[in-house]
Amino acid sequence: MDTSFQQITVDPTLAEMGKNLNEAMRILEDGHREREEDKEKRRHSRKDIPGPLQGSGQDVAHILQLVQNLMHGNEDEDLQSHRRMQNVGEQGHMALLGHSLAAYISVLDKERLRKLTTRILSDTTLWLCRLFRYENGSAYYHEDDREGLLKVCRLVIHSRFDDYSTEGFNMLYSKQPVIYQSAACRSGLGQHLCNQLGLPLSSLCTVPCNTMFGSQHQMDVALLDRLIKDNVDSGKLPLLLIANAGTPAAGHTDKLGRLKELCAQYSMWLHVEGVNLATLALPYVKSSVMAATQCDSMTLTLGPWLGLPAVPAVTLYRHEDPSLSLAAGLNSSQPVEKLRALPLWLSLQYLGHDGIVERIRHASQLSQRLLDHLTKQTSITTAVEDDLNSPVVVFRFAQTHANSAQSGGPLETFHSSDREILDALNRWLGEQLALLVPASGVDIVNLEDEGSCVRFSPLMTAAVLGTKDEDVDMLAERLQEKIPVLISTLRLREEFREEVHRTAALTYIEDLSWPGLGTVRYEMSREEPDESKRQAELEKINSVLLKKLKELDSDLTFSTGPEFGPEKNCVYIGMATEDLDVAEVVEMIATIGREIEENSRLLENMTEVVRKGILEAELQLQKATEEKLMEEGVLRQLPVVGSVLNWFSPVQSSVKGRTFNLAAGSVDSTEPTYSMKAQSTGETPPPTPTSARTKHRLPGQKLFRRSLASSDCVSETSSVGQVEELEKEELREPAPEGREADVQKEPEPEPEQRGETPGEGEQKGKREPEVEGRETENPSILR
């Protein structure tokens, strides 16, 4: 584009502008360029001048580098915010070039500027009216997408109140104007209009959506008719109705045809906005959306639809009196104001009709592709307006009888009225999908009737993020992977609650907003009268417990929960899989908690125990010294005499060793220790006792998993073989001491059965040493 631009352009300033723009974009889009620090200190005369303004100024490259650093930040920051950064293509460069050209064009002489701005404004307005089937319309370009509706409201006020331009708000006393909006409109829109127009909030009337027939996200036309009649009877003036061609949350379209007839009956202005207005540019348009071409005004947001950065929104309207449009601010006599259309004027020419239609068609096909995938999911419910053609797809995980039966859990463990649990799971699902497939642009919406849902609106995100068919397929695959986790977690929550209630040391914390297995807190077994000390100790134990749980080799996630959650000093357990052993999880938490509490109690008493032990050791040493003195006599203690006596008549010393038991806090003799060690020499030590639920794990098997013999994660033959090997190892393990007689040993096979000759057996029997006290292997004696 650089070469062709420079060849066609005659004005050298425009050529230089295009070159500088490309260089600036190259610097700003390079997120890994190293920042060059200026090490030289600038000399300045005033101390209060900020650093960037000191001296003789900075060069362009340094300023652009500063902007780049502010845009991308540090490398260590979270990259989640950068994943959805718009990919500025060549059409985006044209939009950015329009802003630079607007600044350059504004310095032209007035006559040339007037002609140029009039041409740009008239061309852009004509193209948009033809593209979106809005004949004989005018256009207002604005940065805030609410600004166009605000200007339209002022236009309607000027039209309905003849002397409003001279009398002002005094004209509104006779008949209070009323603005009607749907309950599904974007939040804060009506309040913003009233604040900017100086109207009381009583001038805003919110119309509920359907409850019996039709979509639950469409305006109730019959109820609207009754509200208008009531307002007319009370002396109010129906002024304007705001309808939706694609509600902000669910993407549903109001019955625009009937609403237009109602507005014509009461001389009201009909304004339409919504994402579905983009489909007016397609060759085939639904009749419900086509009715928007007959409205009095509509707002188009072309930036996200076409992937154009920093382009204004456009409000198309029809009105015959240019003076009232000028009074309302829809027209401007300032040429600079008309240059707002310049980025659109350039971008629309660059894309062309085919490029515009292709982007909108591609977004519509992406939504239909995802909808086809969702229809195959039994655990997913959709809230779309039309199964065959819906630009916005809203879906939600819901526990049904089918997936409850497949999961093996009883249906009565989950109450369908408890929507809060499902809302938490759907919020987790939306966050996971947005993290795993960032190019899909999915987000989370809260609907009044359905609750928390996942929304896919490619008309608002596909052109910006560059969403492709492969991204939608990957989104469906990731969704398929998460559904079993959601079903298992929902089924195991009740089991986890019951296991915690059966464990004395744990307390179950009810938190329906947590998307996971549940929340638990370890309670201390001892009583602490000081509440502040008890809370500090409880916080310490649970924090150490959480740290140790995180170190375990398991697929479960343990965390402190939400940052601003109502519960503190708790362990939040994340999502669970089907093969999770809930009882083992609860027992492990209780066991680790008890160990931490015991260790903490031991450390607290360590100072007192050591002090008492030292005193007792001193007393015993003093006693042992006195006994030695009485046994050997006084003469043996003298330096010279004692040596002579010991040489003529040696005395066997009987010094006793001492050991300090920290656990018991006592000083004991070392004689039992040495005697036990002498007896146990050459013998196998007894096995270390383990927990009652400790079980063997196969290679690669993580904690809290049930036996892989009935799992699908390994093949049947391999799992059975490994289980049989484990059983053989258990049989070969020695029985605990004192229980040898309870185990009936099988008779030793004959030498022929073992494949040995009699001689070999006798030789082996001779070489095998006999151990005293060894039990006979005669089966008759055991019987």
Side-chain angles (χ1 to χ4, degrees):
M1 189 180 72
D2 304 343
T3 307
S4 59
F5 181 79
Q6 293 179 1
Q7 290 178 354
I8 298 175
T9 303
V10 179
D11 194 339
T13 306
L14 294 180
E16 185 67 20
M17 185 185 304
K19 180 180 179 181
N20 293 338
L21 176 64
N22 293 329
E23 178 64 19
M25 292 301 300
R26 185 185 64 82
I27 296 176
L28 295 178
E29 290 177 355
D30 185 9
H32 303 282
R33 180 172 179 176
E34 298 181 358
R35 181 180 178 182
E36 298 178 358
E37 297 290 345
D38 186 12
K39 299 181 180 179
E40 296 182 359
K41 297 182 179 180
R42 299 179 180 270
R43 297 180 180 180
H44 52 86
S45 57
R46 294 176 54 182
K47 300 295 184 180
D48 57 343
I49 300 298
L53 302 182
Q54 294 177 0
S56 58
Q58 304 181 32
D59 55 359
V60 178
H62 185 80
I63 297 175
L64 290 177
Q65 188 64 46
L66 176 62
V67 175
Q68 183 266 325
N69 294 332
L70 295 176
M71 288 172 54
H72 297 282
N74 298 328
E75 294 291 339
D76 299 334
E77 292 181 356
D78 186 18
L79 300 178
Q80 179 66 21
S81 59
H82 301 294
R83 291 181 177 178
R84 291 193 176 186
M85 180 174 290
Q86 181 169 350
N87 185 16
V88 181
E90 291 189 356
Q91 73 275 8
H93 286 197
M94 293 299 297
L96 299 178
L97 180 61
H99 292 276
S100 302
L101 284 175
Y104 174 67
I105 294 174
S106 62
V107 301
L108 298 177
D109 59 89
K110 293 183 178 181
E111 184 62 23
R112 186 176 299 179
L113 178 61
R114 183 186 63 82
K115 292 181 179 180
L116 181 58
T117 54
T118 303
R119 170 67 182 276
I120 294 174
L121 186 63
S122 60
D123 286 350
T124 311
T125 302
L126 177 62
W127 298 341
L128 292 176
C129 289
R130 294 290 177 85
L131 283 171
F132 296 96
R133 306 171 189 269
Y134 196 80
E135 300 296 335
N136 301 324
S138 302
Y140 173 67
Y141 303 88
H142 46 93
E143 302 298 333
D144 189 352
D145 54 1
R146 302 172 298 179
E147 187 69 18
L149 178 57
L150 177 62
K151 301 293 186 182
V152 167
C153 290
R154 290 177 177 170
L155 173 63
V156 180
I157 293 177
H158 279 279
S159 302
R160 300 300 299 273
F161 298 93
D162 297 335
D163 298 331
Y164 181 77
S165 59
T166 57
E167 299 295 332
F169 64 90
N170 293 324
M171 297 297 301
L172 306 180
Y173 284 130
S174 58
K175 284 189 176 182
Q176 181 182 356
V178 181
I179 300 175
Y180 300 88
Q181 69 170 3
S182 171
C185 282
R186 45 181 170 167
S187 60
L189 178 61
Q191 290 80 357
H192 174 75
L193 294 177
C194 292
N195 292 335
Q196 296 298 319
L197 296 173
L199 298 176
L201 291 180
S202 58
S203 296
L204 179 63
C205 180
T206 302
V207 183
C209 296
N210 294 325
T211 56
M212 298 297 295
F213 305 100
S215 171
Q216 296 180 352
H217 303 279
Q218 291 179 346
M219 188 186 303
D220 193 339
V221 182
L223 183 57
L224 173 63
D225 191 8
R226 291 197 299 268
L227 291 174
I228 295 176
K229 289 180 180 179
D230 295 340
N231 290 329
V232 172
D233 296 340
S234 61
K236 297 181 180 181
L237 178 64
L239 189 69
L240 181 138
L241 172 63
I242 305 173
N244 291 295
T247 55
H252 290 204
T253 302
D254 292 326
K255 297 179 175 61
L256 301 179
R258 295 183 58 189
L259 294 178
K260 179 59 181 177
E261 296 174 359
L262 196 61
C263 290
Q265 179 182 351
Y266 292 98
S267 301
M268 294 173 57
W269 185 283
L270 177 60
H271 178 82
V272 181
E273 61 180 16
V275 66
N276 292 348
L277 293 176
T279 60
L280 290 173
L282 298 177
Y284 172 76
V285 185
K286 295 171 56 177
S287 59
S288 58
V289 180
M290 182 63 75
T293 58
Q294 303 302 320
C295 66
D296 298 301
S297 61
M298 66 169 65
T299 298
L300 309 175
T301 54
L302 298 172
W305 296 352
L306 305 178
L308 303 176
V311 296
V314 185
T315 296
L316 302 179
Y317 66 95
R318 296 191 184 99
H319 199 267
E320 298 178 355
D321 193 346
S323 61
L324 294 181
S325 300
L326 182 62
L330 290 170
N331 288 338
S332 177
S333 59
Q334 298 295 328
V336 179
E337 295 292 333
K338 299 179 181 180
L339 287 176
R340 290 180 181 176
L342 182 57
L344 270 177
W345 185 75
L346 294 174
S347 301
L348 293 178
Q349 292 183 81
Y350 182 82
L351 292 174
H353 178 262
D354 294 341
I356 296 172
V357 173
E358 178 59 30
R359 278 164 173 75
I360 298 175
R361 180 188 290 113
H362 175 66
S364 301
Q365 292 174 352
L366 290 177
S367 61
Q368 189 61 38
R369 190 182 187 91
L370 178 61
L371 192 59
D372 294 339
H373 285 292
L374 296 179
T375 54
K376 304 175 184 177
Q377 302 290 342
T378 57
S379 304
I380 297 297
T381 59
T382 58
V384 296
E385 183 180 11
D386 186 2
D387 294 337
L388 300 178
N389 187 6
S390 179
V392 180
V393 179
V394 177
F395 59 93
R396 171 183 172 86
F397 166 76
Q399 178 75 314
T400 60
H401 187 277
N403 56 53
S404 178
Q406 292 176 2
S407 62
L411 185 64
E412 59 270 15
T413 58
F414 170 72
H415 302 282
S416 58
S417 60
D418 198 355
R419 198 180 71 175
E420 193 172 356
I421 299 178
L422 282 178
D423 288 345
L425 295 178
N426 280 279
R427 286 193 296 269
W428 175 85
L429 176 62
E431 294 172 357
Q432 290 295 313
L433 294 178
L435 182 65
L436 296 174
V437 194
S440 63
V442 295
D443 58 354
I444 305 171
V445 294
N446 293 318
L447 303 182
E448 183 177 358
D449 297 322
E450 291 82 357
S452 298
C453 301
V454 183
R455 178 179 60 184
F456 177 64
S457 182
L459 279 172
M460 299 296 294
T461 60
V464 174
L465 301 177
T467 310
K468 301 179 181 179
D469 295 342
E470 294 78 8
D471 299 322
V472 176
D473 296 338
M474 183 179 296
L475 179 65
E477 293 177 1
R478 297 296 175 265
L479 177 62
Q480 180 67 26
E481 295 174 359
K482 297 301 178 182
I483 287 178
V485 179
L486 293 169
I487 296 176
S488 302
T489 303
L490 194 59
R491 181 176 60 86
L492 295 175
R493 281 177 70 99
E494 187 64 25
E495 182 181 351
F496 177 77
R497 181 208 299 264
E498 295 175 357
E499 288 290 341
V500 172
H501 286 325
R502 285 195 291 264
T503 306
L506 301 180
T507 300
Y508 182 81
I509 306 300
E510 187 72 29
D511 190 357
L512 300 179
S513 62
W514 172 250
L517 193 62
T519 308
V520 67
R521 178 191 292 126
Y522 180 83
E523 301 291 350
M524 295 186 300
S525 58
R526 61 176 179 174
E527 297 293 335
E528 180 62 46
D530 190 357
E531 183 63 22
S532 60
K533 186 177 180 180
R534 178 182 177 276
Q535 291 295 332
E537 185 68 20
L538 191 64
E539 180 181 0
K540 180 181 178 181
I541 293 177
N542 283 275
S543 61
V544 177
L545 173 61
L546 177 61
K547 182 180 179 181
K548 289 185 175 295
L549 289 175
K550 288 182 177 180
E551 296 174 354
L552 297 178
D553 183 18
S554 68
D555 292 333
L556 279 179
T557 58
F558 302 93
S559 64
T560 56
E563 183 178 0
F564 302 102
E567 299 293 341
K568 302 297 182 183
N569 305 329
C570 300
V571 176
Y572 287 78
I573 305 176
M575 306 295 288
T577 55
E578 185 180 0
D579 57 348
L580 179 69
D581 193 341
V582 177
E584 185 181 356
V585 174
V586 176
E587 183 177 352
M588 179 66 73
I589 296 175
T591 303
I592 296 178
R594 283 191 292 266
E595 293 177 357
I596 296 173
E597 184 180 6
E598 293 173 358
N599 295 336
S600 176
R601 189 181 307 173
L602 179 62
L603 291 176
E604 290 179 358
N605 301 330
M606 185 65 67
T607 302
E608 185 67 18
V609 170
V610 171
R611 188 183 66 82
K612 293 181 179 180
I614 292 175
L615 294 177
E616 184 179 356
E618 291 178 352
L619 293 176
Q620 292 190 12
L621 290 175
Q622 183 179 0
K623 183 179 179 181
T625 303
E626 294 176 357
E627 292 178 355
K628 180 180 180 182
L629 180 63
M630 296 296 296
E631 179 181 356
E632 297 180 357
V634 179
L635 295 177
R636 292 183 181 273
Q637 309 303 323
L638 299 177
V640 179
V641 179
S643 300
V644 174
L645 290 177
N646 290 333
W647 184 76
F648 282 103
S649 176
V651 177
Q652 186 69 24
S653 178
S654 60
V655 179
K656 299 180 180 180
R658 296 291 186 269
T659 178
F660 182 44
N661 190 349
L662 290 177
S666 61
V667 179
D668 303 327
S669 175
T670 59
E671 291 183 1
T673 303
Y674 286 107
S675 62
M676 291 176 60
K677 184 175 182 182
Q679 293 177 3
S680 62
T681 302
E683 296 183 1
T684 304
T688 304
T690 57
S691 176
R693 293 191 58 86
T694 302
K695 57 185 180 181
H696 291 283
R697 285 190 295 162
L698 300 178
Q701 182 183 0
K702 296 187 177 182
L703 284 174
F704 314 132
R705 297 298 180 199
R706 294 193 181 96
S707 177
L708 293 180
S710 59
S711 178
D712 297 334
C713 58
V714 293
S715 63
E716 182 180 358
T717 56
S718 61
S719 60
V720 172
Q722 291 175 346
V723 170
E724 291 178 353
E725 291 179 2
L726 289 177
E727 293 177 354
K728 294 179 180 178
E729 291 179 1
E730 292 176 357
L731 293 175
R732 288 195 296 266
E733 290 179 356
E737 184 178 358
R739 296 186 59 186
E740 290 85 358
D742 298 337
V743 180
Q744 181 176 357
K745 299 184 179 180
E746 296 181 1
E748 183 177 359
E750 295 298 330
E752 293 81 3
Q753 295 178 359
R754 297 196 306 262
E756 301 175 355
T757 60
E760 292 176 353
E762 293 176 359
Q763 292 176 1
K764 291 183 179 180
K766 294 178 181 179
R767 288 194 299 268
E768 183 177 301
E770 294 183 0
V771 181
E772 184 179 359
R774 180 178 179 182
E775 295 184 356
T776 178
E777 297 181 355
N778 193 346
S780 60
I781 297 179
L782 291 176
R783 296 194 186 93

